[in-house]
Amino acid sequence: MYQLLADSFYMPIVALSIIATLYTLGIIVYRVTFHPLAKYPGPWLGKITDWYSVIRSVAGDRHIHFLELHNKYGPFVRFGPNRISVNTAEGLQKIYGTRAPTQKSRYYDVFSGVFKGDSSLTTIDHGLHMKKKRVVSTALSESSVKAMEEIILRNIRKFTVQLGKSTPSQTTDLHSESWSSPKNMTDWADYLSFDIMGDICFSSSFGMLDGPDNRYILNVLPLGVNGLNITGWMPWILRLKLGNILFAKLNTDMKRYEAFANEQSSKRLALENSPRVPDVYSYLLESNKSSKEGNSLFSPHDLVGESSLLITGGSDTTATAISATFFYLLHNPPSYEKLKKEIRPRFSSLEEIRNGGVLQSCRWLRACIDEAMRMSPGVPGLLPRVLLSPGVEIAGNFFAEGVDLGVSHYAIHHNEDIYPDSFSYQPERWLVERYPNESQNGAESRVELAKSGFCPFSIGQRGCVGKGLAMKELMVTIARAIWLYDLRLMPGEEHRGCGGYGKGYGRHRIGEYQLTDMFVSKTDGPIVQFRRRV
């Protein structure tokens, strides 16, 4: 009797287990053998499940892995059941370009799910994106940034003063021969970029250049964004409330990020009067006033998501470009010496160094920054796009509607067909005069080839709206530091931020600035000392 009852209990469980196993095996066989993307090479785990992308995102080396996969398999790599990574300039244009038949993939749903609203940076809907982007583009337009120039310069002045300061045990006389106390440029570039974005978005600096009170944000934001990045590949992790079980710390990080974003938005809304110089929030609120009643473009949740993601995107990426430029200049002395010779004679005083024709004429400065961003992009991984009808053809390969495509910034920036000797810091690769033995057309073609794969701000309609602001910030900041100070790597800390054997997968190159892919790049170093030049 009891045996019959036991058998009747276990038989359905066994049957269900068999069915589940057969179903899973069927999916695996289909994805590996019969799926329309089955012919494309890639890691075995990636072909059968998006857990592959989750695992690589948790490891923080997704950018390195994409490059290794393309070096092994070629320009097309299947890294998910329905995902292809492309590593060509043609692919970059056809996936992200202005006329590309693509939109942001479902990966971005996780952002609106956490912030409970849409931002111009993450919304999938094309029409909504264009409306929101129009407002943000106006907020960060040439005329708007010009009106904010003094706010930006105020922070850069504070930054350059802090670079030259010493601890109490050292001299604080900037005119002496002594070097400053060592500065970790990752930290100080973060302080500067976050303070600027706080002023620009909320009319309220985070005060990181002044003291440590708000510096905790530097951990909260990238960890929160990385949590979104990890779960974006498999959104059901959040939908089924499995974050606490699978990634407890990750879930906590995202909640801290959300809390910070809500706090900043609430503080800005509490301001009774509009700021003298309109900030980004002013434009968002004004667009709501001009909208038809009950049809505001930015809901309260949208305001939180928009401003917080703008701060993250505009701060972390710019900070990485600043610290990477210092890293590569100081590890490549001829480039550093050439930059000093370009900057110092052009300006008779520090305050002359601001956005304008003279600064824009510093072509070596721009080349040094571009080359640093090529080697160390602020967003090193792949931004997924889903194909719309009628699909797209890339290098004779047709991809149908519904397939996810993308280009890893780090991988294409190290594509040897576009950037020969790609791990060598060569600012001259951006300048036509580098090729004196070639015709003008031949030299220009080489530079155009380099530009064809260059995407530190992405490209097309979904490219970074703050690119103009970022480049002005970068040019002024680097130029002022070079004009004001002599620089050196702190003795004993010359290898901070460098690669080397034993430092992990794909991190063996001593001269490469190391990135951790947390959707945005995170770095450490270089450790630099400054001395006021005479």
Side-chain angles (χ1 to χ4, degrees):
M1 179 67 177
Y2 290 111
Q3 186 62 43
L4 288 173
L5 289 173
D7 289 346
S8 65
F9 177 77
Y10 284 112
M11 284 181 64
I13 296 178
V14 172
L16 287 174
S17 298
I18 293 172
I19 292 170
T21 300
L22 291 174
Y23 176 75
T24 302
L25 287 174
I27 289 177
I28 292 173
V29 170
Y30 169 73
R31 289 178 175 177
V32 172
T33 308
F34 302 108
H35 192 283
L37 302 180
K39 69 176 182 177
Y40 292 98
W44 186 83
L45 183 62
K47 292 179 180 181
I48 63 174
T49 176
D50 282 320
W51 273 108
Y52 171 79
S53 289
V54 173
I55 292 168
R56 293 260 58 108
S57 298
V58 171
D61 61 2
R62 192 169 59 118
H63 61 304
I64 297 172
H65 205 61
F66 273 126
L67 178 61
E68 294 293 326
L69 291 173
H70 283 292
N71 287 341
K72 180 178 180 179
Y73 294 119
F76 300 96
V77 171
R78 186 183 180 197
F79 71 100
N82 199 45
R83 304 182 195 274
I84 295 288
S85 174
V86 183
N87 197 33
T88 67
E90 179 192 4
L92 180 69
Q93 293 295 327
K94 288 187 173 180
I95 296 169
Y96 301 97
T98 302
R99 296 183 180 180
T102 61
Q103 67 180 21
K104 291 204 168 186
S105 78
R106 307 311 303 184
Y107 163 92
Y108 290 92
D109 277 343
V110 70
F111 288 84
S112 59
V114 169
F115 288 106
K116 303 174 183 64
D118 285 304
S119 78
S120 63
L121 294 172
T122 60
T123 184
I124 293 173
D125 184 281
H126 260 314
L128 184 60
H129 165 257
M130 292 306 296
K131 291 177 182 178
K132 288 177 180 267
K133 183 180 178 180
R134 194 174 298 117
V135 177
V136 178
S137 296
T138 302
L140 296 175
S141 66
E142 185 74 26
S143 59
S144 298
V145 171
K146 185 172 180 59
M148 300 174 186
E149 184 177 28
E150 282 305 315
I151 295 172
I152 296 169
L153 287 175
R154 180 179 67 205
N155 285 287
I156 295 175
R157 289 187 195 105
K158 193 179 295 184
F159 172 75
T160 53
V161 169
Q162 292 286 4
L163 294 182
K165 284 188 175 181
S166 299
T167 59
S169 61
Q170 296 174 294
T171 178
T172 56
D173 182 6
L174 294 181
H175 297 282
S176 74
E177 292 297 317
S178 64
W179 292 93
S180 72
S181 57
K183 303 294 190 301
N184 187 322
M185 293 313 300
T186 287
D187 294 339
W188 285 93
D190 274 337
Y191 302 158
L192 170 66
S193 59
F194 272 88
D195 279 0
I196 288 176
M197 289 307 294
D199 273 332
I200 285 175
C201 289
F202 298 117
S203 291
S204 177
S205 168
F206 295 123
M208 294 188 190
L209 288 168
D210 298 312
D213 289 354
N214 286 326
R215 291 176 183 173
Y216 74 93
I217 297 168
L218 300 179
N219 291 321
V220 171
L221 296 195
L223 287 172
V225 171
N226 194 42
L228 296 169
N229 173 45
I230 292 167
T231 54
W233 301 109
M234 297 192 79
W236 58 263
I237 293 175
L238 287 183
R239 286 199 295 267
L240 298 179
K241 310 295 183 183
L242 296 179
N244 282 325
I245 300 172
L246 299 175
F247 306 109
K249 185 178 183 304
L250 176 153
N251 205 48
T252 301
D253 291 335
M254 285 193 292
K255 287 180 178 178
R256 290 185 73 195
Y257 183 14
E258 183 184 4
F260 165 78
N262 277 292
E263 178 186 3
Q264 299 308 310
S265 183
S266 297
K267 284 181 179 179
R268 176 60 183 83
L269 283 172
L271 293 178
E272 293 183 1
N273 301 314
S274 297
R276 185 174 59 84
V277 177
D279 56 19
V280 172
Y281 220 86
S282 300
Y283 287 91
L284 303 184
L285 294 174
E286 187 60 34
S287 72
N288 281 349
K289 291 179 183 178
S290 60
S291 298
K292 294 180 180 179
E293 187 175 351
N295 192 31
S296 296
L297 186 56
F298 295 92
S299 71
H301 290 304
D302 291 345
L303 291 170
V304 173
E306 191 75 52
S307 49
S308 62
L309 288 170
L310 274 171
I311 285 178
T312 304
S315 300
D316 277 312
T317 54
T318 304
T320 298
I322 292 171
S323 60
T325 302
F326 280 117
F327 176 92
Y328 284 113
L329 285 173
L330 293 178
H331 282 275
N332 296 272
S335 296
Y336 169 53
E337 292 299 323
K338 187 172 180 177
L339 185 58
K340 288 195 295 186
K341 291 177 182 178
E342 178 182 70
I343 295 295
R344 292 177 178 179
R346 264 184 168 82
F347 303 96
S348 59
S349 71
L350 185 67
E351 286 305 311
E352 286 183 8
I353 303 176
R354 57 180 63 219
N355 186 50
V358 179
L359 186 62
Q360 296 305 315
S361 72
C362 297
R363 298 177 64 242
W364 185 251
L365 170 63
R366 177 60 186 261
C368 287
I369 294 171
D370 282 351
E371 182 70 347
M373 290 194 297
R374 179 190 70 80
M375 296 185 71
S376 304
V379 178
L382 177 151
L383 305 176
R385 298 289 186 266
V386 63
L387 280 169
L388 305 175
S389 179
V392 70
E393 183 176 303
I394 303 172
N397 293 265
F398 179 76
F399 298 98
E401 178 183 2
V403 173
D404 269 19
L405 297 179
V407 174
S408 162
H409 297 171
Y410 180 85
I412 197 168
H413 284 181
H414 291 87
N415 183 328
E416 292 289 329
D417 292 334
I418 303 173
Y419 306 103
D421 198 9
S422 67
F423 285 97
S424 175
Y425 182 71
Q426 298 178 23
E428 60 270 20
R429 75 172 79 238
W430 301 100
L431 303 172
V432 170
E433 53 265 34
R434 175 196 184 181
Y435 307 99
N437 298 323
E438 297 196 18
S439 66
Q440 181 73 12
N441 287 340
E444 289 176 354
S445 294
R446 285 181 176 266
V447 174
E448 285 305 311
L449 175 62
K451 291 179 179 178
S452 71
F454 191 54
C455 52
F457 299 100
S458 193
I459 65 171
Q461 292 290 346
R462 294 287 190 149
C464 176
V465 294
K467 176 183 176 181
L469 167 65
M471 287 310 307
K472 290 177 178 63
E473 184 181 336
L474 289 167
M475 295 278 282
V476 174
T477 298
I478 301 298
R480 287 196 173 209
I482 296 296
W483 190 91
L484 193 58
Y485 297 111
D486 290 322
L487 287 67
R488 74 174 184 185
L489 294 168
M490 179 187 174
E493 288 281 0
E494 293 91 347
H495 296 297
R496 181 75 72 89
C498 294
Y501 288 101
K503 292 197 173 182
Y505 166 75
R507 300 186 181 278
H508 57 280
R509 301 175 185 88
I510 294 175
E512 183 187 6
Y513 193 37
Q514 296 303 301
L515 309 175
T516 299
D517 184 354
M518 302 178 71
F519 184 85
V520 292
S521 294
K522 292 309 293 181
T523 60
D524 181 29
I527 308 299
V528 181
Q529 289 182 286
F530 298 82
R531 180 176 63 187
R532 185 71 175 260
R533 72 181 182 93
V534 292

